[in-house]
Amino acid sequence: MKTSALLLALPISILANFSLRASADSTASIVLSTKCQGGYNINIWRNYTSGELLYRATNPNGNLSLGKGTTKATEGVRVYKFRNGIYEYWVWDGTLDNPQSGTLEVYKNNRILMKQACRKS
């Protein structure tokens, strides 16, 4: 798991420096806030005016801001999806067994790179 976290740290750090910043301030409301294994803190926001979903992730290796997310209920659990180039970030809002937990999944070219358990904060 440490190797995959290290492999993920570089792309996240690079993407965080070059990605466009999606604004989340008084123009947006928080939809989901989670703390995940590996020190990942994920916040999903919704812009009041446009309805756009915004992704904010902080972790020991850097920060990442994304916009233009989508959401869908899958098997009774809501999943938020965000894309940045060849990377895709999925945040599961709960599980069938526990609505207070969730999962962060990171994909590169449709292959999973990382999966971390999360807890709503």
Side-chain angles (χ1 to χ4, degrees):
M1 194 53 106
K2 287 184 181 182
T3 303
S4 64
L6 184 58
L7 290 174
L8 183 64
L10 183 59
I12 285 179
S13 297
I14 291 169
L15 291 173
N17 289 326
F18 294 108
S19 65
L20 296 174
R21 301 284 182 221
S23 62
D25 50 31
S26 62
T27 64
S29 63
I30 194 149
V31 176
L32 177 65
S33 180
T34 64
K35 293 187 182 299
C36 305
Q37 292 175 340
Y40 294 89
N41 296 311
I42 310 294
N43 290 312
I44 308 292
W45 298 80
R46 182 179 305 276
N47 182 288
Y48 289 126
T49 307
S50 67
E52 178 184 10
L53 289 172
L54 311 169
Y55 173 96
R56 297 285 182 286
T58 60
N59 71 69
N61 302 308
N63 303 327
L64 179 61
S65 289
L66 300 171
K68 299 183 181 175
T70 62
T71 184
K72 178 178 164 182
T74 304
E75 298 178 14
V77 177
R78 184 150 301 279
V79 62
Y80 298 91
K81 298 180 183 181
F82 297 85
R83 179 177 287 284
N84 191 355
I86 59 174
Y87 294 93
E88 201 167 320
Y89 302 84
W90 293 19
V91 181
W92 293 84
D93 184 359
T95 65
L96 292 176
D97 296 333
N98 186 349
Q100 289 303 309
S101 65
T103 307
L104 167 64
E105 297 175 348
V106 180
Y107 295 85
K108 179 181 179 184
N109 292 326
N110 297 319
R111 291 181 181 248
I112 193 157
L113 281 181
M114 182 184 77
K115 185 175 185 176
Q116 298 287 359
C118 304
R119 185 142 207 81
K120 289 184 184 179
S121 51

